[in-house]
Amino acid sequence: MTITNEDELEGVKAIGRIVANTLRDMAAALEPGMTTAELDRIGRLQLEREGAVSAPESAYGFPGATCISVNEEIAHGIPGARVIAPGDLVNIDVSASKDGYFADTGASFIVPPSDPLRERLCRDGRRALRIGIAEVGAGRPLAGVGRAIGRFAARRGYTLIRNLASHGVGRALHEYPEEIATWPDRAERRRITRGLVFTIEPFLSTGGHMARGGADGWTLYGMPSAPVVQYEHTVVATGRGATVVTLPG
């Protein structure tokens, strides 16, 4: 989506706040002993209270209101009977729509007790997201996002999952530009246009390079298997940089 007026911007900001608040509340409730279905229900109720609709459920028939991925699961995990345990690495991805506007956000969390290596991975995952966002601006090369994240990842000794990309969002969950690499891509020649709405969501890993599908048709796993974190915001490109719309408030 490309924002063309203030009403559209306010619509995207409104659903951005809703998904951000939902993610915040789910993260606050995350604790050992609960199932991923119980965590998902917290997200569902929050979306319903705000008059929002789960995007993966409504657009793709996903069997849950949110995606919750634990440890070896790196994305699109189905909420269910899995019990969250101490030390688990949990990714929560929340996307929804309201009044015809969509937004998408996500983050990874360690259930205490933690360990220094995973804490470093999470901290650097958040840094990779900020580095990608800093490359956003009207007229700037879209490839700059992946180049900057790639330099950071290489310098810190990480790999990036190279078949899970950022994407356009706003009037649908996935729209133009359909795939935005968060890794260096020499073939990318597009430029960021003013008002463009899209996600920044690097998947930073200690050794994984690709995502592969599992038996349930939804859940994705890293290849080779290694810890992976994902942090995601929806942004709007302006002449002064990025406006992040998925902030709680």
Side-chain angles (χ1 to χ4, degrees), residues 114-125:
S114 183
D115 65 78
L117 290 178
R118 286 193 174 189
E119 287 180 357
R120 179 181 185 268
L121 176 60
C122 288
R123 183 170 60 250
D124 284 342

Side-chain angles (χ1 to χ4, degrees), residues 67-129:
C67 300
I68 303 173
S69 309
V70 182
N71 293 338
E72 74 282 357
E73 305 166 344
I74 66 170
H76 305 166
I78 299 174
R82 182 167 185 164
V83 177
I84 295 168
D88 278 350
L89 180 61
V90 181
N91 178 267
I92 304 172
D93 195 318
V94 183
S95 56
S97 65
K98 183 177 181 180
D99 298 330
Y101 297 100
F102 289 73
D104 193 358
T105 190
S108 298
F109 306 92
I110 304 170
V111 181
S114 183
D115 65 78
L117 290 178
R118 286 193 174 189
E119 287 180 357
R120 179 181 185 268
L121 176 60
C122 288
R123 183 170 60 250
D124 284 342
R126 292 187 291 269
R127 290 178 64 187
L129 173 61

Side-chain angles (χ1 to χ4, degrees), residues 1-247:
M1 175 183 181
T2 298
I3 299 290
T4 60
N5 58 60
E6 191 65 26
D7 287 345
E8 290 176 340
L9 179 59
E10 288 306 311
V12 170
K13 284 183 174 180
I15 187 58
R17 283 191 297 270
I18 290 170
V19 295
N21 288 341
T22 301
L23 175 62
R24 177 198 61 196
D25 292 350
M26 292 175 71
L30 180 63
E31 63 180 6
M34 73 189 313
T35 66
T36 54
E38 290 169 336
L39 184 59
D40 180 65
R41 179 166 173 76
I42 292 169
R44 179 183 297 281
L45 292 176
Q46 175 76 352
L47 293 175
E48 290 176 351
R49 280 193 295 268
E50 295 287 350
V53 177
S54 162
E57 194 172 52
S58 62
Y60 300 112
F62 180 76
T66 66
C67 300
I68 303 173
S69 309
V70 182
N71 293 338
E72 74 282 357
E73 305 166 344
I74 66 170
H76 305 166
I78 299 174
R82 182 167 185 164
V83 177
I84 295 168
D88 278 350
L89 180 61
V90 181
N91 178 267
I92 304 172
D93 195 318
V94 183
S95 56
S97 65
K98 183 177 181 180
D99 298 330
Y101 297 100
F102 289 73
D104 193 358
T105 190
S108 298
F109 306 92
I110 304 170
V111 181
S114 183
D115 65 78
L117 290 178
R118 286 193 174 189
E119 287 180 357
R120 179 181 185 268
L121 176 60
C122 288
R123 183 170 60 250
D124 284 342
R126 292 187 291 269
R127 290 178 64 187
L129 173 61
R130 292 194 297 269
I131 286 167
I133 291 173
E135 294 299 315
V136 175
R140 301 189 70 175
L142 203 52
V145 173
R147 283 199 300 264
I149 294 172
R151 284 194 300 268
F152 171 75
R155 190 168 64 247
R156 298 288 285 174
Y158 296 111
T159 56
L160 292 158
I161 302 298
R162 293 184 174 231
N163 58 342
L164 291 176
S166 300
H167 55 88
V169 67
R171 286 296 190 180
L173 179 56
H174 296 97
E175 58 181 60
Y176 178 86
E178 287 80 7
E179 182 172 301
I180 303 166
T182 51
W183 56 89
D185 180 6
R186 294 182 179 179
E188 178 61 79
R189 294 290 183 268
R190 296 172 294 181
R191 289 194 171 267
I192 300 169
T193 54
R194 185 182 302 273
L196 185 66
V197 186
F198 59 104
T199 70
I200 304 288
E201 49 175 314
F203 285 78
L204 195 70
S205 178
T206 58
H209 292 277
M210 301 291 284
R212 64 172 178 83
D216 63 22
W218 293 103
T219 307
L220 298 177
Y221 302 85
M223 292 179 59
S225 181
V228 177
V229 294
Q230 176 245 27
Y231 294 88
E232 176 183 14
H233 274 309
T234 295
V235 303
V236 180
T238 77
R240 298 180 178 180
T243 296
V244 178
V245 299
T246 44
L247 296 174

